Amino acid sequence: MRTLIVMTSFALSCAADLALAQHNHGAPAAGTRPADAAPAPGGRPGGGRPSGMREWTRQPLLLGRPVKDDRAAALITARGLTAGGITVYAADGPAEARKREFAIDAEGARIEAVAPKTGNYHWVLAREESPELVKVASTAWYFGNPGDGPTDMLATPKHELEIVPSPLPREHRSYREAEKWKFLVRYHGQALAGQALAMETEFGSRTQAVTDANGIATLVFPRDFKQPPKGDGESEDPRARGRFVLVTEKEDGGKRYLTAFNYSYTQDPERSRSLGWGAAFGILGMVAATPLLRRRQQAQGDKDHA
Amino acid sequence: MLETLFPTLSRVRFVVQLAMLFLTVYGSVVVGTYAADKITGALPALSCAYDQANGAYCVLVPTQHQVHHRIGMAMVQAQQLTTQMVLPLLMVLLTFFAFFFVIGKAFCGWVCPLGTLQEWVGKIGRRFGFGVRRFEKGDLGEVKRIRPVKWVVLLGFVFLLPLLTGLGVTPHSLGNPYCDICPSRIATTLLTGNTEELALRINDGWKFGLGATANVLIGFMLVGGLALRLPFCRICPLLAFNSVFQRLSPMRLSKPTRASCGSCHICTDACPMDIPEISSAEGRKAYNEDCTLCGRCVEYCPQDKVIELKWGPLALFGSSRAYYKAKVARELPDGTVKPLKFVRNAAKPATADA
Ligand code: SF4
Ligand code: SF4
Ligand code: SF4
């Protein structure tokens, strides 16, 4: 028995070591997902909608779209602020490539994953500065390839007033209608308590939350999703995305800081699911199994005692 | 001290299963929120990727995904099958094997959350005095009859349908059909308080049908499991998948030829998978494709050193008469323990009494 216990502990620690080893090499599966569990990982701030969309907010935004045939690149455009370039932070890769600048041209800025094989979340921001005002637009972009999770990247302060998703949706998830999510507001790297954080969505909802003592604001995503208009014979797309933006402002030393974080959210999956049907089939399975319970112990008991 | 805390192999296993259930269902609190931080994306156990709080993903997800997208879809574009397309799938298998090598099929008997849940349902059944039903002649029929089902599920739902979908033959909704019928998806998400996976998709006929199958399976497992031990494991594609590699891990069940085996069949009675070979056969054949390396047969073999759990040359645990005597006094081979009092009162006098 002692050998077994020792071996069990040994086996478990081996498994943990192996786990780390394979993680460092980037698990191939990190780029995979239970197809359809959720739409392609959140990094579609553009929401897959036509770029000629109507204005739904005056807040600064960073809108992105994937580059055809290049999974390690994306095209980002800035709205509502004038910035010469885009700054991209990666969670992984060589130290000198963790923060990179990309110039904006007429098309926008073509940003790239830190290395072709190192994807995951990248933090994207643009900045406009004058003596009175610092305006920052930020978003996150998910490159499908494996790479480190964004925990440390998010924890690193990047500029004065920041909105930090805590956490970002996991790779197989998205922000969704009717869900509660937390955001940290930071000023010069310190959590900011009692700070107002406003939310606007593409579908016209406006809501606000105030940060608690730890600088965390909890926002409920409004149940306002509207499916894009369908063409003839097209069915509803459960993966369609809508946009939202969070904004916070602060005055300090005669200077105003305005920071926005925009991203996408999806509709409440319950809209296309039925718990009633689910339960009905569950019960059907239970009923189907009841004949197994009928024969009680007698014959069996005799046998076991034999 | 260790012996007091862990008097039996079953107790060691119970504690490990409890820890693994926590890690596989709620493990994100330990390993971090993001999927990239998970222990692995190719675990040889049904640790479900749909559970947002888990600590690892099961290997069947990336397998279906690679077969669907990297092989099926890429073949359509390139009109041929190249090494480039198969490479990601090989990477998945390699990652899987890095884990599998360590404890082999004990991933089923010791780690898999769905295996653990089924076992606990069975324990409840024994406590409530439901008689054990078996796959054997005279009850549910020979176990050999159900064994091929898991291979059909593996080949059909994990490989063939995703491939045909990638090739454009079957509709897109059949891209990861095994996940759609997998009861672990429902069980583990329900354990995190999420009813989304229990709810059926109503805007897609295929998804509705496959999802309904999963719900029937979980319902069947919860009630049927009270009498039939490990009902789902018997048709689980991961059991088949793991058994392909079972001889490649040093972890194994060993029953060399020993004259002292009197073929009393107690080990088969104790086996939750109703494996007759463990008592009737010896050598290689005794370690059957259905074995989950739970070790119950070793605990219940009344002969010294006839059955052993081994890792390479190292004997981790071997059968012994003294151990058997102590064990059988607590619990009968089929898991029967003293039923709860009110169950005993209600039952007929002939009810087994351990
Ligand atoms: S649904 Fe089943 S097969 Fe799919 S990831 Fe979850 S546990 Fe694995
Ligand atoms: S056979 Fe049972 S224990 Fe093994 S993976 Fe399948 S459900 Fe889990
Ligand atoms: S043969 Fe032994 S170790 Fe394998 S499943 Fe049966 S009882 Fe468990």
Side-chain angles (χ1 to χ4, degrees), chain A residues 1 4 7 18-19 22-23 29 34-36 120 147 150 167-168 170-173 176 272-274 278 292 295 297 300 304, chain B residues 9 33-36 38-39 41 50 52 54 57 95 98 131-134 139 176 196 198-202 207 215 316 334:
Chain A
M1 177 62 69
L4 184 95
M7 274 306 288
L18 271 168
Q22 76 79 44
H23 171 59
D36 297 2
N120 211 320
L168 277 163
R170 251 171 72 152
E171 283 81 337
H172 304 154
R173 269 293 291 278
R176 300 196 298 208
S272 56
R273 285 182 183 253
S274 157
L292 283 176
R295 197 181 69 164
Q297 198 74 6
Q300 207 65 33
D304 289 337
Chain B
L9 181 72
T33 311
Y34 302 103
K38 298 285 157 265
I39 296 170
Y50 288 74
Q52 291 292 313
N54 69 3
Y57 285 177
T95 313
V132 170
R133 302 297 300 268
R134 291 172 199 273
D139 193 357
N176 61 333
E196 191 181 318
L198 181 69
L200 292 180
R201 299 257 190 100
I202 42 179
K207 290 275 177 199
N215 290 29
L316 303 176
D334 71 358

Short mmCIF file of all heavy atoms in Angstrom, two decimals, chain A residues 1 4 7 18-19 22-23 29 34-36 120 147 150 167-168 170-173 176 272-274 278 292 295 297 300 304, chain B residues 9 33-36 38-39 41 50 52 54 57 95 98 131-134 139 176 196 198-202 207 215 316 334:
data_model
loop_
_atom_site.label_atom_id
_atom_site.label_comp_id
_atom_site.label_asym_id
_atom_site.label_seq_id
_atom_site.Cartn_x
_atom_site.Cartn_y
_atom_site.Cartn_z
N MET A 1 0.83 -1.22 0.00
CA MET A 1 0.00 0.00 0.00
C MET A 1 0.86 1.26 0.00
O MET A 1 0.64 2.19 -0.75
CB MET A 1 -0.91 -0.05 1.23
CG MET A 1 -1.79 1.17 1.40
SD MET A 1 -2.94 1.42 0.05
CE MET A 1 -3.99 0.04 0.33
N LEU A 4 2.18 2.08 -3.27
CA LEU A 4 1.15 2.64 -4.13
C LEU A 4 0.96 4.13 -3.87
O LEU A 4 0.88 4.94 -4.78
CB LEU A 4 -0.17 1.91 -3.92
CG LEU A 4 -1.17 2.45 -4.90
CD1 LEU A 4 -1.21 1.60 -6.12
CD2 LEU A 4 -2.49 2.66 -4.29
N MET A 7 3.83 6.00 -5.19
CA MET A 7 3.78 6.03 -6.64
C MET A 7 2.70 6.97 -7.15
O MET A 7 2.87 7.64 -8.16
CB MET A 7 3.52 4.62 -7.19
CG MET A 7 4.76 3.79 -7.36
SD MET A 7 6.00 4.60 -8.37
CE MET A 7 5.26 4.48 -9.99
N LEU A 18 4.99 17.26 -16.85
CA LEU A 18 4.73 17.10 -18.27
C LEU A 18 3.82 18.20 -18.76
O LEU A 18 3.98 18.76 -19.83
CB LEU A 18 4.04 15.76 -18.51
CG LEU A 18 4.99 14.62 -18.75
CD1 LEU A 18 4.25 13.31 -18.68
CD2 LEU A 18 5.64 14.79 -20.11
N ALA A 19 2.83 18.50 -17.91
CA ALA A 19 1.86 19.51 -18.27
C ALA A 19 2.59 20.81 -18.56
O ALA A 19 2.36 21.44 -19.58
CB ALA A 19 0.89 19.72 -17.13
N GLN A 22 4.62 20.60 -21.83
CA GLN A 22 3.87 20.72 -23.08
C GLN A 22 3.25 22.09 -23.23
O GLN A 22 3.12 22.62 -24.30
CB GLN A 22 2.90 19.56 -23.27
CG GLN A 22 1.60 19.49 -22.52
CD GLN A 22 0.51 20.34 -23.04
OE1 GLN A 22 0.27 20.40 -24.23
NE2 GLN A 22 -0.19 20.99 -22.14
N HIS A 23 2.95 22.71 -22.10
CA HIS A 23 2.37 24.04 -22.18
C HIS A 23 3.39 25.02 -22.76
O HIS A 23 3.08 25.85 -23.59
CB HIS A 23 1.91 24.50 -20.80
CG HIS A 23 1.52 25.93 -20.79
ND1 HIS A 23 0.52 26.40 -21.59
CD2 HIS A 23 2.01 26.99 -20.12
CE1 HIS A 23 0.39 27.70 -21.40
NE2 HIS A 23 1.29 28.09 -20.52
N ALA A 29 -3.71 22.08 -29.05
CA ALA A 29 -5.14 22.17 -28.83
C ALA A 29 -5.58 23.55 -28.39
O ALA A 29 -6.75 23.86 -28.41
CB ALA A 29 -5.56 21.15 -27.79
N PRO A 34 -14.20 23.54 -28.86
CA PRO A 34 -15.32 22.67 -29.14
C PRO A 34 -16.12 23.41 -30.19
O PRO A 34 -16.75 24.41 -29.87
CB PRO A 34 -16.06 22.58 -27.81
CG PRO A 34 -15.44 23.59 -26.91
CD PRO A 34 -14.23 24.16 -27.57
N ALA A 35 -16.00 23.03 -31.42
CA ALA A 35 -16.61 23.80 -32.48
C ALA A 35 -18.00 24.16 -32.03
O ALA A 35 -18.68 23.35 -31.45
CB ALA A 35 -16.65 22.97 -33.75
N ASP A 36 -18.36 25.37 -32.22
CA ASP A 36 -19.72 25.84 -31.91
C ASP A 36 -19.98 26.05 -30.44
O ASP A 36 -21.05 26.48 -30.08
CB ASP A 36 -20.80 24.89 -32.41
CG ASP A 36 -20.77 24.78 -33.89
OD1 ASP A 36 -19.89 25.42 -34.49
OD2 ASP A 36 -21.62 24.13 -34.45
N ASN A 120 -2.74 34.01 -29.32
CA ASN A 120 -3.54 34.33 -28.15
C ASN A 120 -3.86 35.83 -28.13
O ASN A 120 -3.71 36.51 -29.13
CB ASN A 120 -2.83 33.88 -26.87
CG ASN A 120 -3.82 33.48 -25.79
OD1 ASN A 120 -4.85 34.13 -25.63
ND2 ASN A 120 -3.52 32.43 -25.09
N GLY A 147 -0.48 30.37 -27.44
CA GLY A 147 0.40 31.37 -26.82
C GLY A 147 0.00 31.52 -25.38
O GLY A 147 -1.03 30.97 -24.96
N PRO A 150 -3.35 35.87 -21.18
CA PRO A 150 -3.03 37.29 -21.06
C PRO A 150 -2.94 37.83 -19.63
O PRO A 150 -2.89 39.04 -19.45
CB PRO A 150 -4.18 37.95 -21.80
CG PRO A 150 -5.33 37.04 -21.62
CD PRO A 150 -4.77 35.65 -21.51
N PRO A 167 -11.75 38.88 -16.01
CA PRO A 167 -10.78 38.66 -17.09
C PRO A 167 -11.42 38.96 -18.45
O PRO A 167 -12.56 39.38 -18.52
CB PRO A 167 -10.55 37.16 -16.98
CG PRO A 167 -11.91 36.63 -16.60
CD PRO A 167 -12.54 37.70 -15.74
N LEU A 168 -10.62 38.71 -19.49
CA LEU A 168 -11.17 38.68 -20.86
C LEU A 168 -11.88 37.34 -21.02
O LEU A 168 -11.55 36.38 -20.33
CB LEU A 168 -10.03 38.75 -21.88
CG LEU A 168 -9.49 40.15 -22.21
CD1 LEU A 168 -8.14 40.03 -22.88
CD2 LEU A 168 -10.45 40.91 -23.11
N ARG A 170 -12.64 33.66 -22.00
CA ARG A 170 -11.73 32.59 -22.37
C ARG A 170 -11.83 32.31 -23.86
O ARG A 170 -12.78 32.70 -24.50
CB ARG A 170 -12.14 31.33 -21.61
CG ARG A 170 -11.17 30.95 -20.54
CD ARG A 170 -11.75 29.85 -19.71
NE ARG A 170 -11.77 28.60 -20.45
CZ ARG A 170 -11.69 27.42 -19.84
NH1 ARG A 170 -11.59 27.36 -18.54
NH2 ARG A 170 -11.74 26.31 -20.52
N GLU A 171 -10.87 31.56 -24.36
CA GLU A 171 -10.77 31.38 -25.80
C GLU A 171 -12.03 30.82 -26.45
O GLU A 171 -12.29 31.04 -27.60
CB GLU A 171 -9.58 30.47 -26.14
CG GLU A 171 -8.24 31.19 -26.05
CD GLU A 171 -7.71 31.29 -24.63
OE1 GLU A 171 -8.50 31.23 -23.67
OE2 GLU A 171 -6.49 31.44 -24.48
N HIS A 172 -12.81 30.05 -25.73
CA HIS A 172 -13.99 29.48 -26.36
C HIS A 172 -15.26 30.21 -25.96
O HIS A 172 -16.34 29.70 -26.10
CB HIS A 172 -14.12 27.99 -26.01
CG HIS A 172 -12.90 27.22 -26.37
ND1 HIS A 172 -12.54 26.05 -25.75
CD2 HIS A 172 -11.94 27.47 -27.28
CE1 HIS A 172 -11.39 25.64 -26.26
NE2 HIS A 172 -11.02 26.47 -27.19
N ARG A 173 -15.08 31.39 -25.44
CA ARG A 173 -16.24 32.14 -24.97
C ARG A 173 -16.26 33.54 -25.54
O ARG A 173 -15.38 33.95 -26.28
CB ARG A 173 -16.17 32.24 -23.44
CG ARG A 173 -16.88 31.11 -22.74
CD ARG A 173 -18.38 31.15 -22.96
NE ARG A 173 -19.03 32.27 -22.31
CZ ARG A 173 -19.38 32.29 -21.03
NH1 ARG A 173 -19.14 31.27 -20.27
NH2 ARG A 173 -19.96 33.34 -20.53
N ARG A 176 -21.40 37.97 -23.31
CA ARG A 176 -22.73 37.66 -23.83
C ARG A 176 -23.80 38.47 -23.12
O ARG A 176 -23.63 38.85 -21.97
CB ARG A 176 -23.03 36.17 -23.65
CG ARG A 176 -22.02 35.31 -24.38
CD ARG A 176 -22.47 33.90 -24.56
NE ARG A 176 -22.67 33.18 -23.33
CZ ARG A 176 -22.54 31.87 -23.22
NH1 ARG A 176 -22.19 31.17 -24.28
NH2 ARG A 176 -22.77 31.26 -22.10
N SER A 272 -31.65 30.67 -28.33
CA SER A 272 -31.81 29.62 -29.35
C SER A 272 -31.77 28.23 -28.72
O SER A 272 -31.56 27.24 -29.41
CB SER A 272 -30.71 29.76 -30.40
OG SER A 272 -29.46 29.72 -29.77
N ARG A 273 -31.95 28.18 -27.40
CA ARG A 273 -31.94 26.87 -26.74
C ARG A 273 -33.19 26.70 -25.90
O ARG A 273 -33.78 27.68 -25.47
CB ARG A 273 -30.73 26.76 -25.81
CG ARG A 273 -29.43 26.53 -26.55
CD ARG A 273 -28.31 26.38 -25.55
NE ARG A 273 -27.03 26.24 -26.21
CZ ARG A 273 -26.35 25.09 -26.28
NH1 ARG A 273 -26.82 24.00 -25.74
NH2 ARG A 273 -25.19 25.03 -26.88
N SER A 274 -33.53 25.45 -25.64
CA SER A 274 -34.70 25.20 -24.82
C SER A 274 -34.34 24.26 -23.67
O SER A 274 -33.97 23.11 -23.88
CB SER A 274 -35.81 24.59 -25.68
OG SER A 274 -36.71 23.89 -24.84
N GLY A 278 -34.58 20.02 -23.17
CA GLY A 278 -33.41 19.35 -22.58
C GLY A 278 -33.84 18.48 -21.42
O GLY A 278 -33.47 17.30 -21.34
N LEU A 292 -33.93 -1.39 -15.28
CA LEU A 292 -32.71 -1.93 -14.67
C LEU A 292 -32.84 -2.01 -13.15
O LEU A 292 -32.15 -2.79 -12.50
CB LEU A 292 -31.52 -1.03 -15.00
CG LEU A 292 -30.92 -1.13 -16.39
CD1 LEU A 292 -29.82 -0.09 -16.56
CD2 LEU A 292 -30.34 -2.52 -16.62
N ARG A 295 -35.18 -5.53 -10.74
CA ARG A 295 -34.78 -6.75 -10.05
C ARG A 295 -34.01 -6.38 -8.80
O ARG A 295 -32.93 -5.80 -8.86
CB ARG A 295 -33.91 -7.61 -10.95
CG ARG A 295 -33.84 -9.05 -10.44
CD ARG A 295 -32.97 -9.87 -11.32
NE ARG A 295 -31.58 -9.46 -11.19
CZ ARG A 295 -30.56 -10.19 -11.61
NH1 ARG A 295 -30.78 -11.34 -12.20
NH2 ARG A 295 -29.32 -9.77 -11.48
N GLN A 297 -32.44 -7.28 -4.87
CA GLN A 297 -31.25 -7.95 -4.40
C GLN A 297 -31.26 -9.48 -4.43
O GLN A 297 -30.23 -10.08 -4.59
CB GLN A 297 -31.02 -7.48 -2.97
CG GLN A 297 -29.64 -7.71 -2.46
CD GLN A 297 -28.65 -6.72 -3.09
OE1 GLN A 297 -29.04 -5.82 -3.81
NE2 GLN A 297 -27.40 -6.95 -2.83
N GLN A 300 -29.15 -11.81 -6.65
CA GLN A 300 -27.82 -11.27 -6.60
C GLN A 300 -27.19 -11.52 -5.23
O GLN A 300 -26.06 -11.97 -5.12
CB GLN A 300 -27.96 -9.76 -6.83
CG GLN A 300 -26.76 -9.13 -7.42
CD GLN A 300 -26.50 -9.64 -8.81
OE1 GLN A 300 -27.45 -9.95 -9.53
NE2 GLN A 300 -25.26 -9.79 -9.17
N ASP A 304 -23.68 -13.40 -4.22
CA ASP A 304 -22.54 -12.76 -3.61
C ASP A 304 -22.11 -13.45 -2.32
O ASP A 304 -20.95 -13.42 -1.95
CB ASP A 304 -22.84 -11.28 -3.33
CG ASP A 304 -22.89 -10.50 -4.62
OD1 ASP A 304 -22.28 -10.97 -5.60
OD2 ASP A 304 -23.55 -9.46 -4.66
N LEU B 9 -6.91 0.41 -0.89
CA LEU B 9 -6.64 1.01 -2.20
C LEU B 9 -7.83 1.87 -2.61
O LEU B 9 -7.66 2.95 -3.19
CB LEU B 9 -6.42 -0.11 -3.23
CG LEU B 9 -6.11 0.35 -4.64
CD1 LEU B 9 -4.70 0.91 -4.71
CD2 LEU B 9 -6.25 -0.80 -5.63
N THR B 33 -7.42 31.32 -15.47
CA THR B 33 -8.68 31.44 -16.19
C THR B 33 -8.61 30.99 -17.64
O THR B 33 -9.52 30.36 -18.15
CB THR B 33 -9.11 32.92 -16.22
OG1 THR B 33 -9.01 33.41 -14.90
CG2 THR B 33 -10.49 33.08 -16.76
N TYR B 34 -7.52 31.36 -18.32
CA TYR B 34 -7.54 31.23 -19.77
C TYR B 34 -7.21 29.82 -20.24
O TYR B 34 -6.42 29.13 -19.62
CB TYR B 34 -6.57 32.23 -20.39
CG TYR B 34 -6.94 33.65 -19.99
CD1 TYR B 34 -6.23 34.32 -19.02
CD2 TYR B 34 -8.04 34.28 -20.57
CE1 TYR B 34 -6.59 35.61 -18.63
CE2 TYR B 34 -8.40 35.56 -20.19
CZ TYR B 34 -7.67 36.22 -19.23
OH TYR B 34 -8.04 37.47 -18.85
N ALA B 35 -7.82 29.43 -21.34
CA ALA B 35 -7.63 28.08 -21.84
C ALA B 35 -6.16 27.77 -22.10
O ALA B 35 -5.71 26.65 -21.92
CB ALA B 35 -8.46 27.87 -23.10
N ALA B 36 -5.39 28.80 -22.49
CA ALA B 36 -3.97 28.56 -22.76
C ALA B 36 -3.22 28.17 -21.48
O ALA B 36 -2.15 27.62 -21.53
CB ALA B 36 -3.34 29.80 -23.36
N LYS B 38 -4.32 26.08 -19.29
CA LYS B 38 -4.79 24.77 -18.81
C LYS B 38 -3.63 23.77 -18.73
O LYS B 38 -2.63 23.91 -19.41
CB LYS B 38 -5.86 24.22 -19.77
CG LYS B 38 -7.08 25.10 -19.85
CD LYS B 38 -7.93 24.96 -18.63
CE LYS B 38 -8.81 26.16 -18.41
NZ LYS B 38 -8.24 27.15 -17.50
N ILE B 39 -3.84 22.74 -17.94
CA ILE B 39 -2.82 21.70 -17.79
C ILE B 39 -2.52 21.09 -19.15
O ILE B 39 -1.39 20.93 -19.54
CB ILE B 39 -3.31 20.61 -16.82
CG1 ILE B 39 -3.50 21.21 -15.44
CG2 ILE B 39 -2.32 19.46 -16.77
CD1 ILE B 39 -4.20 20.30 -14.47
N GLY B 41 -4.49 20.34 -23.34
CA GLY B 41 -5.66 20.36 -24.22
C GLY B 41 -5.90 18.99 -24.79
O GLY B 41 -6.66 18.84 -25.73
N TYR B 50 -16.20 22.34 -22.60
CA TYR B 50 -17.35 23.24 -22.54
C TYR B 50 -17.53 23.81 -21.14
O TYR B 50 -18.27 24.76 -20.95
CB TYR B 50 -18.63 22.51 -22.94
CG TYR B 50 -18.70 22.20 -24.41
CD1 TYR B 50 -17.93 21.19 -24.95
CD2 TYR B 50 -19.55 22.92 -25.24
CE1 TYR B 50 -17.98 20.90 -26.30
CE2 TYR B 50 -19.61 22.63 -26.59
CZ TYR B 50 -18.82 21.62 -27.12
OH TYR B 50 -18.88 21.34 -28.45
N GLN B 52 -16.40 26.01 -18.43
CA GLN B 52 -15.54 27.19 -18.45
C GLN B 52 -14.62 27.27 -17.23
O GLN B 52 -13.74 28.11 -17.17
CB GLN B 52 -16.40 28.45 -18.52
CG GLN B 52 -17.10 28.60 -19.85
CD GLN B 52 -16.13 28.88 -20.97
OE1 GLN B 52 -15.26 29.71 -20.87
NE2 GLN B 52 -16.27 28.13 -22.06
N ASN B 54 -12.89 24.56 -15.98
CA ASN B 54 -12.10 23.33 -15.87
C ASN B 54 -10.59 23.57 -15.85
O ASN B 54 -10.13 24.68 -16.05
CB ASN B 54 -12.46 22.37 -17.00
CG ASN B 54 -11.97 22.90 -18.33
OD1 ASN B 54 -11.33 23.93 -18.41
ND2 ASN B 54 -12.26 22.19 -19.38
N TYR B 57 -8.49 20.03 -20.96
CA TYR B 57 -9.46 19.62 -21.98
C TYR B 57 -9.27 18.15 -22.33
O TYR B 57 -8.15 17.67 -22.38
CB TYR B 57 -9.24 20.38 -23.28
CG TYR B 57 -9.68 21.80 -23.29
CD1 TYR B 57 -9.43 22.57 -24.42
CD2 TYR B 57 -10.33 22.38 -22.22
CE1 TYR B 57 -9.81 23.89 -24.47
CE2 TYR B 57 -10.71 23.70 -22.26
CZ TYR B 57 -10.45 24.46 -23.39
OH TYR B 57 -10.82 25.75 -23.45
N THR B 95 0.83 14.89 -27.52
CA THR B 95 0.51 15.53 -26.23
C THR B 95 -0.27 14.55 -25.36
O THR B 95 0.01 14.38 -24.18
CB THR B 95 -0.34 16.79 -26.46
OG1 THR B 95 0.24 17.54 -27.50
CG2 THR B 95 -0.44 17.62 -25.20
N ALA B 98 2.00 11.92 -23.97
CA ALA B 98 2.88 12.39 -22.89
C ALA B 98 2.18 12.18 -21.55
O ALA B 98 2.81 11.83 -20.55
CB ALA B 98 3.22 13.86 -23.09
N GLY B 131 -30.15 -3.86 -6.39
CA GLY B 131 -29.30 -5.00 -6.73
C GLY B 131 -28.45 -4.68 -7.94
O GLY B 131 -28.87 -3.96 -8.84
N VAL B 132 -27.23 -5.19 -7.98
CA VAL B 132 -26.33 -4.93 -9.10
C VAL B 132 -26.79 -5.70 -10.33
O VAL B 132 -27.09 -6.90 -10.25
CB VAL B 132 -24.88 -5.33 -8.74
CG1 VAL B 132 -23.99 -5.30 -9.96
CG2 VAL B 132 -24.35 -4.42 -7.66
N ARG B 133 -26.86 -5.01 -11.46
CA ARG B 133 -27.14 -5.68 -12.73
C ARG B 133 -25.83 -5.85 -13.47
O ARG B 133 -24.95 -4.99 -13.39
CB ARG B 133 -28.11 -4.82 -13.57
CG ARG B 133 -29.42 -4.52 -12.89
CD ARG B 133 -30.22 -5.76 -12.60
NE ARG B 133 -30.55 -6.52 -13.79
CZ ARG B 133 -31.68 -6.36 -14.49
NH1 ARG B 133 -32.57 -5.47 -14.10
NH2 ARG B 133 -31.92 -7.09 -15.54
N ARG B 134 -25.71 -6.96 -14.17
CA ARG B 134 -24.42 -7.23 -14.82
C ARG B 134 -24.58 -7.59 -16.28
O ARG B 134 -25.60 -8.15 -16.68
CB ARG B 134 -23.74 -8.43 -14.17
CG ARG B 134 -23.26 -8.21 -12.80
CD ARG B 134 -22.82 -9.56 -12.27
NE ARG B 134 -22.74 -9.54 -10.83
CZ ARG B 134 -21.68 -9.16 -10.16
NH1 ARG B 134 -20.60 -8.77 -10.79
NH2 ARG B 134 -21.68 -9.16 -8.85
N ASP B 139 -28.27 -12.37 -17.14
CA ASP B 139 -28.76 -11.05 -16.74
C ASP B 139 -28.89 -10.17 -17.99
O ASP B 139 -29.83 -10.32 -18.76
CB ASP B 139 -27.84 -10.43 -15.68
CG ASP B 139 -28.48 -9.21 -15.02
OD1 ASP B 139 -29.59 -8.85 -15.44
OD2 ASP B 139 -27.89 -8.62 -14.11
N ASN B 176 -18.54 18.31 -34.90
CA ASN B 176 -17.98 17.70 -33.69
C ASN B 176 -19.07 16.88 -33.00
O ASN B 176 -19.48 17.16 -31.88
CB ASN B 176 -17.33 18.71 -32.74
CG ASN B 176 -18.31 19.74 -32.24
OD1 ASN B 176 -19.30 20.05 -32.90
ND2 ASN B 176 -18.06 20.26 -31.06
N GLU B 196 -26.79 25.72 -19.42
CA GLU B 196 -26.81 25.98 -20.86
C GLU B 196 -26.66 24.71 -21.70
O GLU B 196 -27.32 24.54 -22.72
CB GLU B 196 -25.66 26.93 -21.15
CG GLU B 196 -25.66 27.50 -22.53
CD GLU B 196 -24.45 28.41 -22.71
OE1 GLU B 196 -24.14 29.19 -21.78
OE2 GLU B 196 -23.82 28.32 -23.76
N LEU B 198 -27.43 21.68 -20.86
CA LEU B 198 -28.59 20.81 -20.71
C LEU B 198 -29.70 21.24 -21.68
O LEU B 198 -30.46 20.43 -22.20
CB LEU B 198 -29.11 20.86 -19.26
CG LEU B 198 -30.30 19.98 -18.92
CD1 LEU B 198 -29.92 18.51 -18.96
CD2 LEU B 198 -30.86 20.32 -17.53
N ALA B 199 -29.76 22.55 -21.93
CA ALA B 199 -30.76 23.08 -22.85
C ALA B 199 -30.43 22.66 -24.28
O ALA B 199 -29.25 22.62 -24.66
CB ALA B 199 -30.81 24.59 -22.73
N LEU B 200 -31.44 22.33 -25.07
CA LEU B 200 -31.20 21.85 -26.44
C LEU B 200 -31.29 22.98 -27.45
O LEU B 200 -32.12 23.88 -27.32
CB LEU B 200 -32.22 20.78 -26.80
CG LEU B 200 -32.11 19.45 -26.05
CD1 LEU B 200 -33.20 18.50 -26.53
CD2 LEU B 200 -30.74 18.83 -26.27
N ARG B 201 -30.45 22.93 -28.48
CA ARG B 201 -30.52 23.91 -29.58
C ARG B 201 -31.80 23.66 -30.37
O ARG B 201 -32.02 22.54 -30.85
CB ARG B 201 -29.35 23.70 -30.54
CG ARG B 201 -28.04 23.87 -29.93
CD ARG B 201 -27.47 25.22 -30.35
NE ARG B 201 -26.09 25.26 -29.94
CZ ARG B 201 -25.08 25.03 -30.78
NH1 ARG B 201 -25.32 24.83 -32.05
NH2 ARG B 201 -23.86 25.05 -30.36
N ILE B 202 -32.59 24.71 -30.51
CA ILE B 202 -33.85 24.46 -31.21
C ILE B 202 -33.84 25.00 -32.64
O ILE B 202 -34.78 24.80 -33.38
CB ILE B 202 -35.05 25.05 -30.44
CG1 ILE B 202 -34.69 26.43 -29.90
CG2 ILE B 202 -35.51 24.12 -29.33
CD1 ILE B 202 -35.80 27.11 -29.15
N LYS B 207 -28.32 19.39 -34.49
CA LYS B 207 -27.84 19.69 -33.13
C LYS B 207 -28.90 19.28 -32.11
O LYS B 207 -28.56 18.80 -31.03
CB LYS B 207 -27.53 21.18 -33.00
CG LYS B 207 -26.32 21.61 -33.78
CD LYS B 207 -25.05 21.38 -32.99
CE LYS B 207 -23.81 21.75 -33.80
NZ LYS B 207 -22.59 21.16 -33.28
N ASN B 215 -28.70 14.08 -23.70
CA ASN B 215 -29.57 14.22 -22.53
C ASN B 215 -30.17 12.87 -22.12
O ASN B 215 -30.27 12.57 -20.94
CB ASN B 215 -30.69 15.23 -22.81
CG ASN B 215 -30.15 16.64 -22.91
OD1 ASN B 215 -29.01 16.84 -23.31
ND2 ASN B 215 -30.95 17.62 -22.55
N LEU B 316 2.93 -2.01 -7.70
CA LEU B 316 2.38 -0.94 -6.87
C LEU B 316 1.47 -1.51 -5.80
O LEU B 316 1.40 -1.01 -4.69
CB LEU B 316 1.58 0.03 -7.74
CG LEU B 316 2.34 0.67 -8.89
CD1 LEU B 316 1.40 1.54 -9.71
CD2 LEU B 316 3.48 1.50 -8.36
N ASP B 334 -19.34 -6.88 -5.14
CA ASP B 334 -20.12 -6.06 -6.07
C ASP B 334 -20.39 -4.66 -5.53
O ASP B 334 -21.14 -3.89 -6.12
CB ASP B 334 -21.43 -6.76 -6.44
CG ASP B 334 -22.42 -6.78 -5.28
OD1 ASP B 334 -22.07 -6.29 -4.20
OD2 ASP B 334 -23.53 -7.30 -5.47
#
